[in-house]
Amino acid sequence: EVLALLLLTLPLLQGLAAHLHSLLTGSYIPGTHSIALVGCLNEHIARDIARAIMDKKLAACVNILPKSSALYFWKGELEESTEILLLVKTRTSKIGELSNYVRSIHPFEIPEIISLPIEQGNPLYLRWMEETVPRD
């Protein structure tokens, strides 16, 4: 039981330790924030999803990138389409919630939701992200 409790509270303890370290040293801990990539069928869907993410306060910022060509295999066939890409900037701790939410509102059967940790960046921007996205 103790081990299970420790495993369940580990993410919370890690988050608190990271926050305390950041406050005491004024430094950024790599991986605290992430960028999630979300592929969308068209600009209307992209805007709707971006607005929904922001309304839920799951991100500090969502960029909507213009059309790009995509080649991929779907059900054994090579497909080609155009997509709109969302760049979602958020806390790494929010990626699971963000992914679940996007899957619940996205029209694709298997939406593209991929995240990459932010290793470095403008300290002022990273601090703004920290202040903008509510903690878990």
Side-chain angles (χ1 to χ4, degrees):
E1 288 180 33
V2 173
L3 182 58
L5 181 60
L6 283 173
L7 289 174
L8 290 173
T9 59
L10 186 60
L12 175 64
L13 294 174
Q14 287 175 323
L16 289 173
H19 184 66
L20 182 60
H21 178 270
S22 181
L23 285 174
L24 293 174
T25 65
S27 63
Y28 177 72
I29 298 172
T32 302
H33 297 90
S34 290
I35 295 177
L37 309 172
V38 179
C40 299
L41 179 64
N42 59 47
E43 190 171 338
H44 177 73
I45 290 169
R47 286 195 184 282
D48 287 350
I49 291 173
R51 187 164 301 281
I53 289 168
M54 295 304 293
D55 287 345
K56 286 263 193 195
K57 298 189 183 319
L58 292 173
C61 175
V62 178
N63 293 99
I64 303 171
L65 301 184
K67 287 183 182 178
S68 63
S69 294
L71 293 158
Y72 54 92
F73 285 102
W74 181 248
K75 298 185 178 180
E77 297 293 322
L78 181 61
E79 301 286 336
E80 186 170 351
S81 67
T82 58
E83 294 182 352
I84 305 295
L85 186 63
L86 300 180
L87 297 181
V88 183
K89 294 156 211 154
T90 190
R91 292 176 184 269
T92 300
S93 63
K94 293 285 188 181
I95 292 295
E97 183 180 355
L98 172 72
S99 181
N100 289 338
Y101 182 64
V102 169
R103 283 195 316 272
S104 76
I105 63 172
H106 202 290
F108 286 177
E109 183 179 338
I110 303 175
E112 172 189 5
I113 308 165
I114 300 169
S115 70
L116 305 166
I118 297 172
E119 295 299 316
Q120 295 181 11
N122 175 354
L124 295 176
Y125 186 84
L126 297 170
R127 189 171 308 124
W128 169 76
M129 286 178 63
E130 182 78 19
E131 295 166 357
T132 304
V133 180
R135 286 200 169 282
D136 297 325

